[in-house]
């Protein structure tokens, strides 16, 4: 292509002559092939921080951010690998502004699709439509706006606007060779050529005199538009002429196809080897698995091995007692081969032992677990086989030696191990010892882990809802709302309407939050998309160069959020593969078969990590990973939905034996025309992780996803929608007529979420012959009471404690309780009820005089047999529990003296009666000056000491206020806050403003 070493000396000489102030030699007027000599020629030779002009005109370019390591030699051609890390500044002179005649030629390959300039003539870095942004003419070799096509144009700002005019779309870089892009300006015409062939042309009225000014002509690898990235591409050559070449001259200047292909193949070969090596230092010393890339530089590769027992085609190696060789061959679509000789080194017993120790050391388990455990079955680095045993398999399961993967859906990556059975609430934690045995190369090693399995948390009925969402492309933070009652349409902002979670790391944007309550009910998980459109990211870049992370938090109260990977800092978790374009709208659902959470998200998939090409199409498809702790995830992501048409924003619920999946058709069509328009459709399956390859009403839902509805919202709302959500309505919600659900669609272009109230029965009954969306009841519900201006959020059912926590924005507080005690003969039974109707555990302490006994609650009840000889007031005090989630309370019952057994009583046996229960407080406080006179105003306390008041029983008080003889089994309760009781020899005397009531309770 060019004689590098012959021209390099000229460039160095020109720099020396300029420094000495001497005149430069005049180059020849015409170069080889009848092409005029360029006014500047950069063949990517360099010296230090100088990119040498080998034309002999001394116009060396200054390098910024680039050094010797960025220069490579491919097929004897020196190249400059721009990796978004630097640029070159061209001095004035190669192109003048006296007329509009000039030509720029650049040969390059491997350009990333991005907002970037390959080169620009002009100067002045600034914002769009400002004078700080200098006038210019440019070429972007692979534009995101044109999906990898070439973008070029000219800009001269006018008073009325930015002044940019673009060359019409046309031309793109070759996927299997170096490409040469030539831009020729002549008069008011700009013509774009690729490899010497005209692709596009622009007529304009701009003048180069408004562009070429000052000491800087322009840049290689840098845009003048401030937010744009620096160039990512391998550049092999660049020439400039201060004249317009003819079409014949343009074609003659371009290197031959064979030359361009040879350089490209050399680049591909180097990149393949670099990626193939993985953690190894060379192919002559392979000790760990290789990673054959599926594509490099936009070239798709298929692999074969001469000896798969040594190195498999996927790069897996088998080390033995001796060194062994194998050949890996990559073949591109053109039939070209890239051959790599591999030597797999022998492995010693000491090395095996070291690998086993490293595999076991890499396992991380929390000392206390609330979820099933991710007990890995294979070592992450060396591929050792790991099995697990448990000191108590009834609490934490072991590896199932007979485990076999199902025919449909994901295999269990833990092979039956790690399933946790948490002890019942109130029964205490359990201690379990787990033993991991790693086996590799005929050797084994073990490691033990002490794990505390936390008892189940307290539960209570759901009586409200919480929501999370972001607001707009310029407000990508998470906001939360809650309902004021058990009515889905009563949402109000939490935290005073301020954001509840924001990001200062990764992209610094949070979108599409989703909240799931844990399978055990005592924790909430939240996921969000790592994307910030408001930071200047284009939608093209968001889909082709988006984040590979999800953002994940956990909370017990929906107020205090903690990263699930908090040990790694305030950052997201990489779950996607390098070949992916983005990780959008992550949601999660529990899989009963896998006993794991399935996290699913939308992504585009490319053939290589540079996102140069995709042999399967760049449409969005749905992927999934598995997790048990939201810190460790299976890898790589598995394809979940790929019909060849774009799908995003799936959400799932389970009704009966089927999972129901609502998804947005992002493509506007499908192969069979069933998914009509950009709208929501519905599918069902018994297997959550079964893979969808086509939309079909004929799919067997026992093994795949059956289409049961389509075009569900747009025909009724008149708006495009996305971000579907489905929420089961609580019992007692006035919108719930039985098995009620609310389906919501985010009409992002007009007003946010639109709800549809339906039932589980209606959802389950939907078929393509009798669609849910065609039933009479499927109509948009009023949006009144929903969060204001929400974008793509989530809704979750919550108990009263969560509603209270979100209202106060201060976390969960203990709920009040009521203790009620009854006497049946000599057996007393205390029943403790929480104000939110939730679980109550702990102990009740029964006290009468000097006698006392603590009894554990079972199903909210505790009973005790009273010793003989006791008489008086029995106090039953609920002591609370160690989690402090329910306040203490107490009740009392009158215990009569033992009756003589030899003499029958004249009175019939009385029915057991109970003292009216007292209402607890979190902290006992002095009684108020006057009471309400209603039961449950407060604990039985002394007004002066806050100690339980003594209740004495002697006689029954009649309605007239006269005393009647006391009866066995009678019980008394205080109903006034300031009533004192005194026992006198003649009967019961009331002191104060309160009253005493007697209540009978049948045993």
């Amino acid at each position: 292509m060019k004689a590098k070493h012959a021209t390099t000396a000229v460039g160095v000489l020109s720099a020396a002559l300029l420094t000495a102030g001497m005149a430069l030699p005049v180059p020849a007027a015409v170069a080889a092939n009848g092409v005029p000599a360029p006014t500047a020629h950069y063949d990517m030779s360099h010296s230090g921080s100088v990119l040498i002009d080998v034309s002999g005109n001394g116009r060396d370019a200054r390098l910024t951010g680039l050094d010797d390591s960025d220069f490579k030699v491919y097929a004897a051609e020196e190249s400059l690998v721009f990796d978004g890390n630097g640029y070159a500044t061209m001095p004035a002179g190669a192109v003048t502004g006296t007329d509009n005649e000039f030509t720029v030629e650049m040969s390059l390959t491997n350009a990333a699709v991005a907002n970037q300039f390959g080169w620009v003539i002009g100067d002045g870095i600034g914002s769009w439509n400002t004078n700080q942004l200098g006038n210019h003419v440019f070429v972007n070799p692979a534009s995101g706006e044109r999906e990898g096509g070439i973008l070029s144009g000219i800009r001269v700002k006018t008073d009325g606007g930015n002044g940019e005019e673009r060359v019409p779309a046309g031309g793109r870089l070759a996927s299997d060779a170096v490409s040469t892009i030539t831009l020729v300006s002549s008069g008011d015409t700009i013509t774009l050529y690729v490899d010497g062939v005209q692709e596009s042309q622009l007529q304009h009225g701009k003048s180069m005199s408004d562009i070429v000014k000052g000491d800087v002509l322009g840049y290689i690898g840098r845009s003048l538009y401030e937010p744009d990235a620096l160039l990512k591409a391998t550049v092999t050559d660049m020439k400039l002429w201060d004249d317009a070449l003819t079409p014949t001259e343009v074609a003659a200047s371009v290197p031959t196809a064979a030359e361009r292909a040879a350089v490209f193949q050399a680049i591909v070969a180097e990149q393949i080897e670099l990626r193939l090596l993985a953690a190894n230092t060379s192919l002559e010393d392979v000790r760990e698995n290789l990673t054959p890339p599926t594509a490099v530089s936009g070239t798709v590769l298929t692999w074969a091995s001469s000896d798969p027992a040594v190195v498999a085609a996927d790069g897996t190696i088998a080390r033995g007692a001796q060194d062994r060789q194998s050949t890996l061959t990559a073949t591109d679509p053109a039939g070209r081969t890239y051959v790599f000789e591999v030597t797999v080194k022998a492995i010693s017993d000491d090395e095996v032992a070291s690998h086993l120790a490293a595999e076991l050391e890499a396992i991380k388990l929390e000392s206390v677990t609330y979820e099933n455990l991710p007990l890995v079955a294979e070592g992450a680095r060396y591929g050792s086989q790991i099995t697990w045993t448990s000191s108590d398999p009834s609490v934490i399961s072991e590896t199932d030696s007979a485990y076999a993967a199902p025919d449909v859906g994901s295999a269990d990556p833990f092979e039956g191990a790690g399933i946790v059975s948490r002890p019942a609430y109130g029964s205490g934690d359990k201690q379990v010892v787990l033993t991991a045995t790693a086996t590799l190369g005929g050797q084994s090693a073990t490691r033990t882990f002490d794990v505390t399995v936390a008892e189940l948390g307290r539960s209570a009925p759901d009586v409200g809802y919480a929501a999370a969402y972001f607001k707009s492309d310029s407000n990508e933070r998470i906001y939360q709302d809650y309902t004021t009652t058990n009515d889905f349409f009563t949402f109000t902002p939490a935290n005073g309407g301020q954001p509840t979670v924001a990001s200062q790391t990764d992209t610094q944007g949070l979108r599409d939050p989703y909240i799931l309550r844990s399978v055990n009910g005592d924790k909430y998980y939240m996921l969000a998309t790592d994307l910030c459109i408001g930071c200047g990211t284009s939608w093209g870049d968001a889909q082709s160069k988006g984040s590979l992370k999800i953002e994940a938090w956990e909370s017990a109260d929906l107020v205090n959020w903690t990263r699930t990977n908090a040990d790694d800092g305030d950052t997201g978790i990489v779950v996607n593969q390098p070949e992916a374009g983005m990780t959008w709208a992550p949601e999660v659902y529990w899989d009963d078969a896998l006993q794991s959470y399935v996290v699913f998200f939308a992504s585009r998939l490319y053939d290589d990590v540079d996102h140069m090409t995709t042999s399967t199409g760049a449409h969005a498809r749905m992927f999934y990973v598995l997790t048990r702790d939201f810190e460790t995830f299976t890898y790589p992501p598995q394809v979940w939905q790929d019909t060849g048409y774009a799908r995003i924003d799936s959400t799932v619920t389970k009704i009966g034996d089927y999972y129901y999946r609502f998804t947005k058709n992002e493509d506007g069509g499908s192969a069979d025309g069933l998914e009509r328009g950009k709208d929501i459709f519905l599918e069902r399956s018994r297997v959550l992780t079964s893979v969808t390859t086509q939309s079909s009403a004929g799919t067997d839902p026992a093994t795949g996803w059956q289409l049961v509805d389509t075009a569900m919202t747009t025909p009724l709302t008149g708006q495009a929608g996305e971000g579907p959500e489905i929420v089961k309505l609580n019992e007692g919600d006035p919108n719930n007529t039985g098995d009620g659900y609310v389906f919501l669609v985010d009409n992002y272009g007009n007003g946010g979420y639109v709800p549809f109230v339906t039932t589980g029965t209606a959802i389950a009954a939907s078929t393509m012959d009798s669609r849910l969306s065609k039933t009479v009841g499927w109509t948009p519900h009023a949006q009144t009471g929903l969060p204001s201006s929400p974008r793509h959020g989530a809704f979750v059912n919550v108990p009263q404690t969560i509603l209270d926590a979100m209202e106060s924005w201060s976390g969960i507080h203990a709920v009040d309780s009521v203790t009620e005690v009854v006497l049946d003969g000599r057996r007393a039974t205390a029943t403790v009820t929480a104000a939110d109707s939730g679980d109550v555990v702990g102990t009740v302490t029964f006290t009468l005089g000097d006698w006392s006994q603590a009894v554990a609650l079972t199903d909210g009840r505790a009973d005790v047999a009273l010793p003989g000889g006791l008489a008086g007031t029995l106090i039953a005090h609920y002591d609370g529990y160690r989690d402090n989630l329910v306040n203490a309370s107490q009740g009392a019952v009158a215990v009569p003296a033992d009756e003589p057994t030899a003499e029958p009583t004249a009175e019939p046996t009385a029915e057991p009666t109970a003292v009216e229960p007292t209402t607890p407080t979190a902290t006992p406080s002095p009684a108020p000056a006057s009471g309400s006179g209603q039961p449950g105003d407060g604990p039985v306390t002394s007004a002066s000491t806050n100690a339980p008041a003594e209740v004495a029983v002697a006689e029954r008080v009649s309605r007239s206020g006269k005393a009647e003889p006391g009866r066995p089994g009678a019980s008394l309760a205080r109903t006034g806050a300031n009533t004192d009781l005194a026992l006198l020899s003649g009967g019961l005397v009331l002191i104060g403003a309160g009253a005493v009531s007697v209540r009978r309770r049948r045993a």
Side-chain angles (χ1 to χ4, degrees), residues 425-426 457-461 801 812-819 831-844 857 860 877-890 918-924:
Y425 179 53
R458 181 176 183 271
S459 65
T801 51
I812 291 177
H813 298 281
V815 300
D816 289 343
S817 69
V818 171
T819 295
T831 302
V832 184
T833 305
D836 64 353
S837 301
D839 292 342
V840 181
V841 298
T843 58
V844 171
L857 284 168
H877 185 273
Y878 170 56
D879 306 318
Y881 189 57
R882 63 183 182 180
D883 58 9
N884 297 315
L885 293 179
V886 181
N887 286 325
S889 61
Q890 67 181 36
T918 60
T919 304
T921 57
T923 304

Side-chain angles (χ1 to χ4, degrees), residues 524-550:
Y524 297 86
Y525 296 106
M526 181 165 67
L527 306 178
T529 303
D530 176 32
L531 172 63
C532 187
I533 295 297
C535 298
T537 304
S538 70
W539 281 110
D541 284 352
Q543 296 175 80
S544 62
K545 298 190 298 183
S547 174
L548 302 181
K549 294 181 176 183
I550 60 172

Side-chain angles (χ1 to χ4, degrees), residues 266-438:
I267 293 172
V268 170
E270 180 190 75
Q271 293 183 346
I272 291 175
E273 182 169 349
L274 287 173
R275 295 181 187 177
L276 179 64
L277 283 170
N280 298 285
T281 57
S282 75
L283 292 177
E284 291 76 37
D285 186 8
V286 173
R287 299 172 186 267
E288 299 189 26
N289 290 338
L290 300 169
T291 56
T294 56
V296 163
S297 300
T299 300
V300 178
L301 302 170
T302 56
W303 290 85
S305 171
S306 65
D307 190 347
V310 177
V311 184
D314 67 356
T316 302
I317 67 170
R319 299 179 66 187
Q322 296 179 336
D323 292 355
R324 297 190 292 175
Q325 286 74 39
S326 182
T327 301
L328 284 177
T329 302
T331 304
D332 68 19
R336 293 174 295 222
T337 58
Y338 305 83
V339 179
F340 303 91
E341 302 296 334
V342 177
T343 299
V344 177
K345 303 299 288 185
I347 187 168
S348 67
D349 289 345
D350 288 345
E351 197 172 1
V352 172
S354 174
H355 288 177
L356 289 172
E359 297 275 54
L360 291 171
E361 186 62 30
I363 298 173
K364 294 182 180 180
L365 294 181
E366 298 293 337
S367 58
V368 179
T369 187
Y370 300 84
E371 297 278 10
N372 291 345
L373 293 167
L375 301 184
V376 294
E378 183 175 317
R381 183 168 183 180
Y382 301 107
S384 64
Q385 299 304 302
I386 301 176
T387 57
W388 294 84
T389 56
S390 170
S391 64
D392 191 344
S394 67
V395 179
I396 303 179
S397 66
E398 304 176 320
T399 300
D400 179 2
S401 59
Y403 175 77
D407 294 333
V408 177
S410 174
D412 175 12
F414 314 110
E415 298 182 1
I419 298 175
V420 170
S421 299
R422 289 173 62 184
Y425 179 53
S427 62
D429 302 339
K430 289 286 185 69
Q431 312 300 318
V432 178
V433 177
L434 295 174
T435 301
T437 300

Side-chain angles (χ1 to χ4, degrees), residues 88-120:
T89 303
M90 298 181 290
V95 173
T96 64
T98 57
D99 55 34
N100 280 5
E101 311 297 304
F102 71 90
T103 302
V104 180
E105 174 193 283
M106 174 181 273
S107 296
L108 75 165
T109 188
N110 296 348
V113 178
N115 295 330
Q116 60 188 354
F117 284 3
W119 59 263
V120 61

